[in-house]
Amino acid sequence: EYYPYFLRCSFGGRFYSLEDKWHPDLGEPFGIMHCVQCHCEPQKSRRGKVSGKVNCKNIKQDCPALDCDNPVQLAGHCCKTCLQGNHPLSSNAALSFCRFQAILEELHKSYNDRSYLSSEDVGPGESRTDFVAVLTGLKDSWLPSSSGVARVRFTLTRSSLTFSITYQRMGRPTKIAFLDSDGTPAFEYRVPKGDSDMICGVWKNVAEPLLRQLQSEQMHISMSTGQRDEVEGRIIKHRALFAETFSSILTSEEENSAMGGIAMLTLSDTENNLHFILILQGLIQHRDRDPILVPIRVQLLYRQHILREIRANITSHDPDFAEVLTDLNSRELFWLSRGQLEIAVAAEGQDPRQISGFITGRKSCDTIQSVMSSSDALIPGKTGGVGSAIFNLHDNGTLQYQVQVAGLTNDVVSLTIELKPRRRNKRSVLYDLTPEFSKATGQAIGSWSRLEARHIHMLLQNELFINVATAHSQEGELRGQIKALPYSGLEAPRHELPTPLAGHFVSPPVRTGASGHAWVSVDRHCHLHYEILVAGLSQTDDLTVNARLHGLAEIGELDDSTHMRLLTGFYGSKAQGVLKDISVELLKHLDQGTAFIQVSTKLNPRGEIRGRVCTTLVCSISEEEELEDFLSKDPEELKKDPHTCFFENQYYPHGSSWTPNYDKCFSCICQKRTVICDPVICPALTCSRTIKPEGKCCPICDERKELKDVKAPERVDEHPEGCYFEGDQKMHAPGTTWHPFVPPFGYIKCAVCSCKGSTGEVHCEKVTCPMLTCSHPVRRHPTDCCKVCPQEERTTAALEHSDMMQADSPRYCKFGKNYYHNSDSWHPWVPLFGEMKCINCWCDHGVTKCQRKQCPLLTCSNITRTEGSCCPECLGNVQKSSWTFKCW
């Protein structure tokens, strides 16, 4: 039976689909309980609603009885296994498996003990699972086998599977296919052209049955080039992925070898021991059903000189191998950091074969970056400043960096990469970036070429920090952890410095301990891709974070929340997504650098951090404008558009605005099939005499009366036509003022525009609210821009608190554009229909409730309805009736 993806079970901070089975991980000191199996079972309630329930049981009692002398305890298994009956080498195999499992357990314990790891960046209801695949040439194909080897690392988040691919000894692939358990392509990915040996991609919305196959390691991945060079491998889970900091792709020098492998390596936390695990494919040639032991030789080489050598036995059916190279000396560590150490694996015996590869820092599509905030400084503060950095680690151990800072209280005196302090406020500096810092640009761009192997290990395990000290904060005004940002599949330019977000850029500036940065790009379809990271917010603020894109720079700095375009998908300290519905006007602001990313919190709802966004457009605005013009002129095309509005016997495209025929003092906009009409809002006038010109909606000052006693200044020629305002698409007379109309938001009461008659230019500025002397000012209407002092006569008839937005009890209700007190009742007014007299609504402690008038159930055959009546009636005679109730 198929169940939708959102029906899941929660266990230990992870989520599982219905019918999933797993062994629970209880953490240290318990680890994974391999002899306990949990099952996410569907459970139906009395009403038939399906939910997930976790059921766990001990499976050790189900282990079969074995008749061999030396059963083997396989890593990750509860029951022991006979290797091959009474094979004479079974004892050696048992030692090999025990060694393999001991190394994995040691790495897992080391990983769990790290205090800096947390789940803050994982959103609610979200978990990640990592997979790996080794791809080699196909042996059973009629085509010549490939010598190419590829390594793919996957991360499954919800139903999206991102992948990072590196490959050697083959051309750049053109197609990637995911194969289900039957070998049928389930998803194909066309590789874009490029010269990089790294391929990054994402498979979105993986179907539930395929997710189950992925979790049970039944899926394969294949990769092919234009020259019919194809490699394939199985997608598996592996416990070593979490600790890997160095890696190697192992290839053969033979042509058409169809073999290869990968090595996953990591350093011990305290000693210079190099742990490694090998995943081999095609090296062992054995087609029999029964497994055998094969002797192998593992060598660590530097320029063909053997530094270390290990001999061991592995099984033909499970050719993974784990070992530890202890006490690496300083030269070996130096060569490891420079990518000059080589690992070679050879199968000895009748068919000797060898694969090898150079060891480098772990490669992936993730971005190494850091957000520096004053809240995360060793001595936390709230300065409103920001620091942002991105890093790129090369195979030779060189670390390129780009760092930018802004909004600091004083000059930068040091910029350093550091370890976590061993004692309070006791810094441990690894590298000084200060010589590369430019005061003029606020940036430091350069490279660190002397990274040690230990530093690379710590960098890739998120154990390094970057610190910015200023003249006023010698220990550091800003600080941030250098972390890998997982690849998301978005077309964001992560190779470029992101847009810094700081309280310093908010208007007026906010002294906050938070900061952030954002990558923003526009693709060829004019869709906006964004990734936003914030740091220094408290956990309470994290839960109420919103990110908004502000592209209304032409009407000044607005603080009304209705003028912000909301960006969805903010989880914890990270937000990402794609905004597809972008107006031409907003695209122009993005291209001109007059758009802003703003992040608000519960503490600062009008913006806590902000940054100006400028991105190069690769889509054509002119084509967008031509399309809008075409749709607006061709009624037949408008009818086909599902977002078109039909109003007053005319079609209007989405996003358009117009003046309706029924009242010239209204402005209407079309928002995805919905017509919204607002009355023109006239600005308050300060003059004593006003006049209302014919054909105009708002009065103006009668300047002739006001200035009769004032000496007339020199006459300035006024613009003959007045001013044209793009928002309401109307001409405004010289000298007039108005609240701007900006689709799709309507009238902006917190801004006032005026027409300069001499030039025909429109000047808009933010409304300045007057200073108030009362202790409890109120906003009489939620759409008002400024608060006022409450009137003394407003007592029992008004709310307990005059400011409706802050009223606690009894709460008000909002319906349409009207506000109602608790227990008020009314007939709702619906646009295009008018007052609905057959429906009654009332305010119940802040909740609007409505119901249709109760009508009797008629039993007569001749039923009629008179005009103005809510209920039908029997025609000509009176019938018995029973009452029924219907909600609206």
Side-chain angles (χ1 to χ4, degrees):
E1 188 174 355
Y2 173 76
Y3 297 100
Y5 177 68
F6 57 82
L7 293 177
R8 296 180 292 177
C9 296
S10 173
F11 187 90
R14 288 181 174 268
F15 289 85
Y16 300 88
S17 303
L18 292 182
E19 305 296 352
D20 277 358
K21 296 180 180 179
W22 69 96
H23 299 291
D25 186 353
L26 304 184
E28 292 301 320
F30 306 102
I32 297 179
M33 310 297 288
H34 295 292
C35 289
V36 176
Q37 187 179 74
C38 295
H39 181 204
C40 180
E41 299 177 341
Q43 178 178 264
K44 288 188 178 181
S45 65
R46 293 181 179 178
R47 297 183 178 181
K49 184 179 179 181
V50 179
S51 60
K53 179 183 178 181
V54 177
N55 183 23
C56 298
K57 67 175 183 178
N58 191 326
I59 60 174
K60 191 170 185 178
Q61 58 189 7
D62 300 328
C63 291
L66 303 177
D67 57 358
C68 54
D69 295 332
N70 298 297
V72 175
Q73 182 74 52
L74 295 174
H77 291 257
C78 174
C79 303
K80 290 186 177 182
T81 304
C82 289
L83 182 62
Q84 187 182 356
N86 295 318
H87 196 282
L89 296 179
S90 293
S91 59
N92 293 335
L95 291 175
S96 176
F97 283 120
C98 290
R99 181 66 169 164
F100 182 85
Q101 186 169 6
I103 291 173
L104 283 175
E105 294 295 339
E106 182 178 348
L107 291 177
H108 194 264
K109 182 179 186 301
S110 175
Y111 173 81
N112 283 337
D113 285 345
R114 294 197 173 102
S115 60
Y116 57 86
L117 293 169
S118 67
S119 59
E120 291 180 359
D121 293 332
V122 180
E126 184 177 322
S127 62
R128 298 195 190 108
T129 307
D130 291 329
F131 302 83
V132 69
V134 181
L135 282 61
T136 57
L138 303 176
K139 296 181 180 179
D140 299 328
S141 172
W142 61 272
L143 293 171
S145 298
S146 171
S147 297
V149 181
R151 175 232 169 95
V152 190
R153 179 162 183 162
F154 310 85
T155 298
L156 177 65
T157 306
R158 295 186 176 181
S159 61
S160 291
L161 185 69
T162 59
F163 49 89
S164 305
I165 304 176
T166 53
Y167 55 92
Q168 290 185 13
R169 296 213 63 194
M170 63 182 299
R172 184 172 178 83
T174 58
K175 185 179 75 171
I176 298 169
F178 288 80
L179 310 176
D180 62 15
S181 55
D182 297 328
T184 305
F187 173 73
E188 289 190 352
Y189 177 81
R190 294 291 176 177
V191 180
K193 294 182 179 180
D195 55 2
S196 172
D197 61 349
M198 175 73 70
I199 298 173
C200 309
V202 60
W203 179 8
K204 297 181 180 179
N205 302 318
V206 184
E208 178 69 20
L210 295 175
L211 285 174
R212 294 179 184 173
Q213 291 187 23
L214 182 67
Q215 295 281 6
S216 59
E217 303 181 353
Q218 298 178 22
M219 296 197 69
H220 286 69
I221 180 172
S222 71
M223 200 164 67
S224 59
T225 67
Q227 289 75 33
R228 295 183 177 181
D229 200 6
E230 185 175 0
V231 293
E232 184 179 316
R234 186 164 66 102
I235 304 174
I236 62 172
K237 300 175 184 177
H238 207 292
R239 293 181 61 193
L241 287 169
F242 57 78
E244 179 190 19
T245 51
F246 295 90
S247 65
S248 178
I249 294 180
L250 310 178
T251 63
S252 172
E253 296 295 329
E254 301 178 16
E255 292 296 328
N256 311 122
S257 62
M259 63 178 175
I262 63 172
M264 296 181 284
L265 309 96
T266 188
L267 284 174
S268 299
D269 282 342
T270 56
E271 300 174 338
N272 293 329
N273 298 336
L274 184 65
H275 299 252
F276 68 89
I277 292 177
L278 304 176
I279 302 179
L280 309 175
Q281 190 162 300
L283 180 67
I284 309 300
Q285 298 291 324
H286 181 68
R287 297 183 178 274
D288 294 340
R289 179 176 298 179
D290 295 330
I292 64 171
L293 283 176
V294 178
I296 64 168
R297 182 184 68 247
V298 181
Q299 294 176 334
L300 192 66
L301 307 171
Y302 171 70
R303 295 183 178 178
Q304 302 303 316
H305 294 287
I306 300 175
L307 303 177
R308 306 284 183 106
E309 183 174 277
I310 299 173
R311 294 179 181 270
N313 296 315
I314 62 174
T315 62
S316 56
H317 284 194
D318 189 15
D320 288 6
F321 178 72
E323 192 50 87
V324 181
L325 298 174
T326 59
D327 298 325
L328 267 64
N329 58 43
S330 58
R331 289 186 306 165
E332 292 171 333
L333 289 170
F334 174 81
W335 293 329
L336 175 63
S337 68
R338 297 298 181 265
Q340 297 174 345
L341 283 185
E342 186 178 6
I343 186 169
V345 184
E348 299 180 315
Q350 297 179 352
D351 186 16
R353 300 158 66 99
Q354 178 172 306
I355 54 178
S356 62
F358 284 94
I359 303 172
T360 63
R362 184 191 67 218
K363 296 180 180 180
S364 73
C365 296
D366 300 346
T367 301
I368 304 175
Q369 54 79 48
S370 179
V371 179
M372 292 156 271
S373 68
S374 55
S375 179
D376 291 330
L378 294 180
I379 303 177
K382 293 185 177 182
T383 66
V386 62
S388 173
I390 56 174
F391 303 87
N392 185 22
L393 180 64
H394 295 274
D395 290 348
N396 62 0
T398 299
L399 182 67
Q400 283 188 321
Y401 55 82
Q402 299 180 66
V403 186
Q404 59 183 340
V405 297
L408 300 177
T409 59
N410 214 281
D411 292 340
V412 173
V413 295
S414 74
L415 180 62
T416 52
I417 295 177
E418 304 179 356
L419 298 174
K420 184 177 182 179
R422 296 182 179 179
R423 291 179 294 179
R424 181 178 176 85
N425 301 334
K426 187 67 175 179
R427 295 161 54 197
S428 180
V429 176
L430 283 183
Y431 185 72
D432 190 359
L433 288 67
T434 311
E436 306 299 330
F437 181 76
S438 170
K439 183 179 179 182
T441 62
Q443 296 183 354
I445 300 176
S447 60
W448 177 11
S449 60
R450 296 183 178 274
L451 262 78
E452 299 177 3
R454 175 67 57 190
H455 299 157
I456 295 175
H457 172 82
M458 299 179 75
L459 173 72
L460 297 179
Q461 288 284 12
N462 303 338
E463 294 181 358
L464 299 184
F465 298 81
I466 185 166
N467 196 80
V468 182
T470 60
H472 286 175
S473 301
Q474 295 286 338
E475 288 299 315
E477 182 172 325
L478 303 175
R479 190 176 179 89
Q481 184 179 358
I482 301 176
K483 299 190 291 186
L485 175 65
Y487 173 69
S488 63
L490 294 176
E491 296 181 24
R494 287 190 177 182
H495 60 282
E496 301 174 358
L497 270 173
T499 297
L501 309 177
H504 175 78
F505 298 137
V506 179
S507 180
V510 177
R511 293 184 66 86
T512 173
S515 61
H517 61 205
W519 285 278
V520 177
S521 66
V522 177
D523 63 20
R524 59 188 180 89
H525 302 294
C526 288
H527 297 165
L528 181 77
H529 298 248
Y530 63 90
E531 285 188 281
I532 307 170
L533 274 81
V534 296
L537 289 174
S538 66
Q539 187 67 23
T540 303
D541 292 332
D542 273 345
L543 300 178
T544 57
V545 170
N546 288 311
R548 297 177 171 87
L549 178 68
H550 184 185
L552 305 173
E554 76 276 10
I555 56 175
E557 300 288 342
L558 299 182
D559 62 352
D560 194 328
S561 61
T562 59
H563 301 282
M564 301 290 185
R565 185 69 182 273
L566 185 65
L567 302 179
T568 59
F570 215 113
Y571 295 104
S573 59
K574 180 175 67 174
Q576 62 185 37
V578 180
L579 191 63
K580 297 182 178 180
D581 185 17
I582 307 179
S583 66
V584 172
E585 194 67 24
L586 180 54
L587 288 172
K588 290 180 179 179
H589 284 295
L590 286 166
D591 190 43
Q592 297 166 2
T594 51
F596 297 87
I597 287 282
Q598 180 167 294
V599 176
S600 63
T601 62
K602 186 175 182 180
L603 187 62
N604 291 290
R606 296 187 178 182
E608 180 149 340
I609 54 177
R610 170 190 281 195
R612 175 175 289 191
V613 178
C614 182
T615 181
T616 302
L617 298 185
V618 294
C619 65
S620 174
I621 294 181
S622 59
E623 292 179 2
E624 293 282 320
E625 291 175 327
E626 290 174 4
L627 179 61
E628 289 183 2
D629 293 340
F630 174 71
L631 290 175
S632 62
K633 295 175 182 177
D634 192 334
E636 294 302 320
E637 291 297 326
L638 281 175
K639 292 180 183 179
K640 300 176 183 178
D641 186 356
H643 295 159
T644 294
C645 298
F646 184 74
F647 186 79
E648 294 182 329
N649 295 319
Q650 188 173 347
Y651 289 96
Y652 295 92
H654 165 67
S656 61
S657 60
W658 68 94
T659 299
N661 296 327
Y662 71 87
D663 194 331
K664 298 299 181 182
C665 289
F666 272 70
S667 291
C668 298
I669 57 175
C670 173
Q671 284 293 303
K672 294 183 178 180
R673 299 181 62 183
T674 302
V675 176
I676 303 173
C677 296
D678 291 310
V680 173
I681 300 176
C682 299
L685 303 177
T686 57
C687 50
S688 57
R689 292 181 177 272
T690 62
I691 58 173
K692 186 176 181 182
E694 185 177 353
K696 301 296 180 182
C697 297
C698 295
I700 60 174
C701 291
D702 188 354
E703 296 183 358
R704 293 170 298 178
K705 298 294 183 180
E706 293 293 322
L707 303 175
K708 64 179 182 178
D709 297 328
V710 180
K711 182 179 179 180
E714 294 184 10
R715 181 176 179 81
V716 179
D717 292 334
E718 293 184 340
H719 196 277
E721 298 180 355
C723 304
Y724 178 78
F725 183 64
E726 184 68 29
D728 55 18
Q729 300 180 1
K730 294 180 181 179
M731 291 298 300
H732 296 266
T736 56
T737 60
W738 69 95
H739 291 299
F741 180 84
V742 182
F745 309 111
Y747 285 96
I748 314 302
K749 296 186 69 175
C750 287
V752 173
C753 296
S754 59
C755 175
K756 293 185 177 180
S758 59
T759 61
E761 296 178 353
V762 175
H763 175 70
C764 299
E765 61 182 13
K766 180 182 173 182
V767 171
T768 302
C769 295
M771 294 291 294
L772 303 178
T773 58
C774 53
S775 58
H776 299 288
V778 297
R779 185 176 285 106
R780 289 180 176 172
H781 195 277
T783 59
D784 289 346
C785 186
C786 300
K787 289 186 177 183
V788 297
C789 289
Q791 299 177 2
E792 294 181 358
E793 59 269 23
R794 293 184 69 198
T795 54
T796 57
L799 292 173
E800 291 184 10
H801 300 283
S802 297
D803 187 353
M804 286 185 169
M805 297 177 69
Q806 300 174 3
D808 294 326
S809 179
R811 296 175 61 188
Y812 73 99
C813 296
K814 180 179 184 295
F815 188 90
K817 296 183 179 180
N818 298 318
Y819 292 81
Y820 300 91
H821 296 270
N822 189 43
S823 300
D824 282 355
S825 61
W826 67 94
H827 296 299
W829 189 91
V830 179
L832 305 183
F833 291 94
E835 188 177 32
M836 309 290 287
K837 293 187 177 181
C838 295
I839 296 175
N840 293 318
C841 297
W842 66 95
C843 180
D844 184 6
H845 295 89
V847 179
T848 298
K849 298 182 179 179
C850 297
Q851 75 174 36
R852 189 176 293 275
K853 183 178 179 181
Q854 302 176 23
C855 293
L857 182 63
L858 303 179
T859 58
C860 56
S861 58
N862 297 323
I863 299 176
T864 184
R865 183 189 297 271
T866 59
E867 185 176 355
S869 174
C870 295
C871 300
E873 300 174 349
C874 289
L875 183 63
N877 55 2
V878 179
Q879 296 288 336
K880 295 182 180 179
S881 61
S882 58
W883 289 90
T884 184
F885 176 82
K886 182 179 181 181
C887 293
W888 178 74

